[in-house]
Every structure is written in C-alpha cells, then in structure tokens.
Amino acid sequence: NAGVTQTPKFQVLKTGQSMTLQCAQDMNHNSMYWYRQDPGMGLRLIYYSASEGTTDKGEVPNGYNVSRLNKREFSLRLESAAPSQTSVYFCASSVGVWSRGMNTEAFFGQGTRLTVV
Amino acid sequence: EDKVVQSPLSLVVHEGDTVTLNCSYEVTNFRSLLWYKQEKKAPTFLFMLTSSGIEKKSGRLSSILDKKELFSILNITATQTGDSAIYLCAVEPLQGAQKLVFGQGTRLTINP
C-alpha cells in the first residue's frame, strides 16, 4: 500500500546544479501537486497537474519545471538550483473530481529535504 | 488573493489539557476546508468540512466550520504526548483542480 512515493528523501546541491525530484502514486488519482514547505510559511503550491497531459503554475513556480509523465508520475525539475530553493518538497495527489459528500482529500508523500549550498 | 491564517502559531500545554486551534480564511468561491496533522514527515488527513455547523469527530478530535464568519476550529480533548505535531489548515477554492491554500500551521507541543 505505497500511496505517494517520492525520491530522493534527501539531497544537497551546489548553486547552479540541476536535479529532478520524482513522484509516483498508485491510487489512480487524476490530480497531482508539488508543494514546498518553509519554516513559518505552511505549504505553498509550486505546480499542479489537474489531469494527465495538463500542468499549471501554482503560487511559487519560478525556478521550477514539471512533467506529468503519465497518470502515475509527476516530476519536478530545478534547472539551476539557488539557495532560496532550500526547502522540504512534498508531492501530493488527489482524486481530482469533486463530489459532494465524498472525501476527496490530498495524500502526501514523505517529502524531500533539499539543501542548496 | 486567497489567504488562510492559523492561530496560535505555537502552543505548549500539559498532557490532559484541552486545546482549540483556529483557522480563518479569505477565499473566493469556497469549496471545502481541510485539517491535516504533520508529525515528522508527510501531512496526514484529519477532516474535510464543507457545511457550516456540522461537527466532524474522530476520537478526541473534533472540528467545526462557520462559513458565515469564515473560520474553523479544531478541538483536541484529553491531549496526549502523541498529539504533539504541526496542525495544518487548508482551504480548497472552487476551481477545476483541488488546489489547496495552506495556513502557516500551529505547532502543538504536549508535555507529560
């Protein structure tokens, strides 16, 4: 019963390096999300994919790109990492189709702690 | 701009106490409000609220929504050390995808 799986769990990058965070879900969810969590700021949405084949910017998209590879997988890429991107990154997924009376909550992965030096 | 504000930001109580966490929001076209508990890693879902005045309850935890005054509270009675966590409130605006707007979180510490 994996749910949402993120890799890697930890990463240290030098400024200017690139990397891709991987996320996969096995719940047949339509929608997937990438959030970042910084101290005192809650979770902020970077990008989301409402359904396979679509992606849209969230609240803080600058410096990131995403790919919805298929229904299961949604990756986040940092092309040129900056110290301001030091954060904990969470991938999440949800059914994506709202229905009254139905719990349609988002399920979260375990997070990736990224440090950019 | 959609906004969610939680209070207090931090709370320290003794085991057995009752706590009330607050969440107020300003969201265009509200759909639902969700509470999550975050211990060491991933936030885990507690409640989803869509209607005013209907209390949702799970063991010692309960929550209620007031859509007129735009707030929700999360109550925890007879607190235990295992309740120590960050409690996150999120609101889902009425849009195509279920994007969540999160508050800053309340860090709750229960001392034995």
Side-chain angles (χ1 to χ4, degrees):
Chain A
N1 193 13
V4 180
T5 304
Q6 285 181 239
T7 56
K9 289 186 171 54
F10 301 94
Q11 183 72 50
V12 178
L13 290 178
K14 292 183 179 177
T15 297
Q17 285 185 317
S18 62
M19 80 161 296
T20 300
L21 281 63
Q22 307 286 353
C23 175
Q25 52 90 10
D26 61 2
M27 295 174 281
N28 201 33
H29 282 167
N30 293 302
S31 299
M32 297 185 73
Y33 315 84
W34 277 104
Y35 290 89
R36 61 178 287 175
Q37 186 174 33
D38 302 294
M41 299 192 74
L43 280 84
R44 292 181 294 168
L45 183 65
I46 305 171
Y47 270 93
Y48 68 100
S49 171
S51 60
E52 187 179 356
T54 70
T55 60
D56 283 287
K57 294 178 181 179
E59 184 185 351
V60 287
N62 291 344
Y64 305 95
N65 282 303
V66 290
S67 295
R68 183 75 183 265
L69 304 168
N70 47 55
K71 192 171 186 180
R72 289 187 65 246
E73 298 173 289
F74 188 39
S75 63
L76 178 72
R77 182 158 178 85
L78 286 71
E79 290 292 350
S80 179
S84 61
Q85 294 178 304
T86 293
S87 188
V88 179
Y89 291 84
F90 287 99
C91 176
S93 71
S94 67
V95 170
V97 177
W98 187 81
S99 176
R100 187 174 293 280
M102 188 175 157
N103 268 3
T104 52
E105 72 274 18
F107 293 80
F108 286 82
Q110 294 298 299
T112 296
R113 185 174 292 277
L114 175 67
T115 303
V116 183
V117 298
Chain B
E1 182 183 330
D2 299 332
K3 190 175 177 183
V4 178
V5 177
Q6 292 185 244
S7 63
L9 295 181
S10 180
L11 184 60
V12 180
V13 300
H14 290 293
E15 205 167 17
D17 288 351
T18 292
V19 298
T20 298
L21 310 183
N22 303 292
C23 176
S24 63
Y25 62 91
E26 296 172 23
V27 172
T28 306
N29 297 324
F30 171 91
R31 173 177 280 171
S32 64
L33 184 144
L34 296 91
W35 284 97
Y36 283 84
K37 177 182 181 182
Q38 185 178 25
E39 296 176 86
K40 292 197 188 309
K41 294 183 179 177
T44 54
F45 172 74
L46 294 174
F47 298 112
M48 174 183 277
L49 303 151
T50 56
S51 301
S52 274
I54 299 174
E55 184 184 53
K56 292 235 176 161
K57 199 170 170 63
S58 176
R60 296 176 294 101
L61 278 67
S62 64
S63 184
I64 198 160
L65 174 68
D66 186 327
K67 289 169 75 173
K68 183 179 176 186
E69 300 297 329
L70 308 184
F71 77 92
S72 173
I73 59 171
L74 175 68
N75 276 322
I76 309 176
T77 59
T79 52
Q80 302 171 358
T81 54
D83 295 326
S84 294
I86 297 172
Y87 289 84
L88 296 164
C89 171
V91 173
E92 181 187 9
L94 189 67
Q95 295 179 16
Q98 292 158 287
K99 300 186 296 179
L100 297 176
V101 179
F102 280 87
Q104 320 95 301
T106 294
R107 182 179 292 276
L108 176 64
T109 303
I110 311 296
N111 288 327

